[in-house]
Amino acid sequence: MSTLSDLVYAQGRSSAEDVEWLHRLAGDGQLLADLAFADIVLWVPTPDDSFVAVAHTRPSGAATLFYRDIVGDRVRPQWRTQIRDAFHEARIVDSASPDWFEETPTRVRAVPVVRAQGVEGAQTIGVITRHTNLGEARTPSRQQITFNDCADELFGMVATGDFPDMSAPTAPRRGAPRASDGLVRLDVDGVTTFASPNALSAFNRLGFDDELEGESLVEVVTRILPAKRQFDESLPVVLTGRAPWRADVESRGVTVSLRTIPLRDHGKRIGAIVLCRDVTEIRHQEQELITKDATIREIHHRVKNNLQTVASLLRIQARRSHTEEGRDALTQAMRRVSAIAVVHDTLSEGLAQNVDFDEVFARVLKLVAEVAAAPNTRAKTHSTGKFGTLPSEYATPLALALTELVTNAVEHGLAGKEGDVEIIAERDGEHLEVRVRDTGTGLPEGQVGRGLGTQIVRTLIQGELGGTIDWHTIMGSGTEVTIEIPLRYIERAAN
C-alpha cells in the first residue's frame, strides 16, 4: 500500500512542508476519531479538481462505517461538492441532511486543513471528513458530550491552522496516551472541568483520592509528588495546559504519562485537553530493555578484550617461533581472531544487534597492513561499493572470510611483487555480491588452493551464510573470487 507521502506527492500539488503538516495531522487521526466517535478521512486535491483519500482512521469506541480501507480511493460523488466547498472556501461544511452509506444513515462534516505560514498567512492543503454513524444514536453520556465538544474544538483549530502544533515534540506511538486511556479537560486557568473515569483512576493510583473536577491540576500533582524529589521541568507547562508537551508523573511506584493539547479559538487559548495513561508496565519493560542492552554491550566489550588478548598472545608466540611454517600459522590465527574482535568491538558501541558492515570492513582491511608491508611485496588495497547493514551473526563469518581472501591475495597472488587488491561490494534487494580481485600471478584455471584458509572460507560462506563462492583467473591479470549471499536468507535468520 502506498504511504501518505507517496499519495500526496503523486498529486503534484503539495510541498514538503504540506506533507509534514499532513503527516502530523494523520498521526492524531486516532485521537480525532475517538473523540468524535466517527471515522476520520484525510483528503488531498488532485490535478483534475477532485480529491483522493490519503489517510483513514476508525474510532475505537464506536462502529466503523468503512469495513474496507479507502486510502487511495477517489472521493465518492455524494461527498465531492461538500469537500470541494470546504477546500475552496476554507470553511467547515456540514451535510444538509443525513447521508446514506450502504443503508446506514450518516452525518458528514468536511473540515478544511489549513497550514499556518507565519507572516505569509495560511493555505488550505486538504480536507478532513468526519463520518458519524447515526444508526447507533442513543442518549449521549456526559463523557460522550465532552469528547464531542473537544472534537469540535480540535476541528475548528484544524480549520484555522492552529492544529496540529508543529512545535509539539514527536514521540514514539508505543505508550502514548489515548482518549480512551483518560482525558482531563482544563479551563484557561488550568482548573479541571471534566475528568473521565479512567483519568480519575490513573490519578487515584498515583495517590490522589479525591475528585479532580474543580481542582487545579498543578496543585493536585504537587500534593502527589514526594517531597524533595526531582521532576520533569516541563511538568508545570503540561499541567497548566499552556503548551503542547508531554511529561511523566511518578509516585508510589506508578508512572502516568501526560500529553497536553492547548485549545485555541482563532489563536486565543481557551483551555486544554490533557490525555493521561498509566504506563507503569511499559516503563518497567523499557528499563529492563535498557539494562539488557547495556549488559549485551558489556559482554561484547569483554569478548573483544579477550579476543585481543588472545591475538596478542599469538603474536608473541609467533615472534618466538623457530620455524617459518609455525610463525606463519600463528600469524594467520592472530589475524583471524583479530577480525572477529573487530565485529564485537563494533557491537559494543551501539544498541542494535545489526552492524554497519562498511565500517567493520574498513577496520578489517587494516589487519592485512602487516602482510602488505612484507619484504619485496608492495600491495595496495581499496574497496568500492556498499555492504550495508548486516545482522551480527553474519557480520562475523563474512568479516573472517574476507580477511582470509584479502590476506591470500596479498600473500600468494602478489607475493614478491607490486600490485593492487580491490574489493567490490554490490547489494540489491535480494543478493549481496562481493568480489575480491588482485593483479597477481593468478591461479591455474580450475585449481583452487587446498589450504586451511580456503577450507575456512568455504565453510563460512557456504555453511553459515548459505551463499556461493567461485574462484577464477582473469586472463593475464590475476585472480578474482566472487561471493554471493542471498539477503533473504540473512533477513530470515535475523528475524
Side-chain angles (χ1 to χ4, degrees), residues 239-252:
L239 296 174
T240 55
R242 296 181 179 277
W245 215 254
R246 302 189 184 198
D248 284 355
V249 177
E250 298 181 28
S251 178
R252 298 171 56 176

Side-chain angles (χ1 to χ4, degrees), residues 41 95 100 142 210 241 252:
V41 183
S95 53
W100 289 85
R142 182 166 175 249
D210 205 345
R252 298 171 56 176

Side-chain angles (χ1 to χ4, degrees), residues 168-207:
T170 57
R173 298 269 181 93
R174 183 174 182 266
R178 301 162 299 191
S180 57
D181 295 319
L183 181 144
V184 177
R185 174 68 189 270
L186 303 179
D187 65 14
V188 70
D189 297 317
V191 175
T192 303
T193 60
F194 172 82
S196 70
N198 286 343
L200 184 58
S201 295
F203 278 89
N204 288 161
R205 287 192 287 272
L206 286 170

Side-chain angles (χ1 to χ4, degrees), residues 304 337-347 359-361 363-364 367:
K304 181 264 296 183
V337 172
S338 297
I340 299 173
V342 166
V343 177
H344 284 281
D345 189 28
T346 303
L347 288 169
E359 177 186 344
V360 170
F361 186 64
R363 298 173 64 181
V364 165
L367 298 176

Side-chain angles (χ1 to χ4, degrees), residues 171-432:
R173 298 269 181 93
R174 183 174 182 266
R178 301 162 299 191
S180 57
D181 295 319
L183 181 144
V184 177
R185 174 68 189 270
L186 303 179
D187 65 14
V188 70
D189 297 317
V191 175
T192 303
T193 60
F194 172 82
S196 70
N198 286 343
L200 184 58
S201 295
F203 278 89
N204 288 161
R205 287 192 287 272
L206 286 170
F208 181 74
D209 56 4
D210 205 345
E211 293 295 328
L212 280 173
E213 293 185 18
E215 296 278 357
S216 166
L217 205 57
V218 171
E219 295 178 3
V220 168
V221 174
T222 300
R223 279 180 261 163
I224 290 173
L225 290 176
K228 300 181 180 179
R229 175 153 185 183
Q230 292 185 340
F231 57 87
D232 192 335
E233 294 180 356
S234 65
L235 190 56
V237 177
V238 173
L239 296 174
T240 55
R242 296 181 179 277
W245 215 254
R246 302 189 184 198
D248 284 355
V249 177
E250 298 181 28
S251 178
R252 298 171 56 176
V254 175
T255 303
V256 173
S257 179
L258 304 176
R259 179 196 175 188
T260 293
I261 304 172
L263 298 175
R264 297 184 176 90
D265 184 4
H266 292 85
K268 181 181 178 181
R269 191 169 64 87
I270 58 173
I273 298 170
V274 180
L275 304 176
C276 48
R277 179 178 183 180
D278 186 339
V279 293
T280 305
E281 187 62 31
I282 293 175
R283 294 293 181 263
H284 285 168
Q285 292 174 357
E286 290 173 349
Q287 189 58 48
E288 289 177 359
L289 288 174
I290 291 172
T291 302
K292 289 178 180 179
D293 285 335
T295 303
I296 291 171
R297 290 201 307 274
E298 179 62 21
I299 290 172
H300 284 304
H301 180 71
R302 294 189 182 189
V303 169
K304 181 264 296 183
N305 288 345
N306 291 339
L307 290 173
Q308 287 182 336
T309 300
V310 172
S312 297
L313 293 174
L314 291 171
R315 184 183 293 108
I316 293 171
Q317 190 65 41
R319 290 173 180 171
R320 297 195 174 197
S321 178
H322 299 293
T323 65
E324 189 68 27
E325 182 179 354
R327 186 180 300 110
D328 289 344
L330 289 169
T331 300
Q332 290 174 9
M334 180 270 295
R335 282 196 300 271
R336 291 162 186 153
V337 172
S338 297
I340 299 173
V342 166
V343 177
H344 284 281
D345 189 28
T346 303
L347 288 169
S348 70
E349 296 173 356
L351 293 175
Q353 289 301 295
N354 293 330
V355 296
D356 181 353
F357 196 79
D358 295 288
E359 177 186 344
V360 170
F361 186 64
R363 298 173 64 181
V364 165
L365 271 181
K366 296 178 181 178
L367 298 176
V368 300
E370 295 180 8
V371 180
N376 303 320
T377 300
R378 297 179 62 187
K380 296 179 181 179
T381 58
H382 58 278
S383 62
T384 59
K386 294 289 184 180
F387 289 91
T389 300
L390 296 176
S392 58
E393 59 266 38
Y394 291 90
T396 298
L398 184 58
L400 188 53
L402 292 177
T403 299
E404 291 293 327
L405 292 175
V406 175
T407 301
N408 286 343
V410 174
E411 276 189 330
H412 304 296
L414 300 177
K417 59 182 294 187
E418 180 177 350
D420 296 327
V421 178
E422 182 180 14
I423 302 91
I424 305 166
E426 296 180 354
R427 181 170 181 167
D428 58 26
E430 297 184 353
H431 298 90
L432 170 64

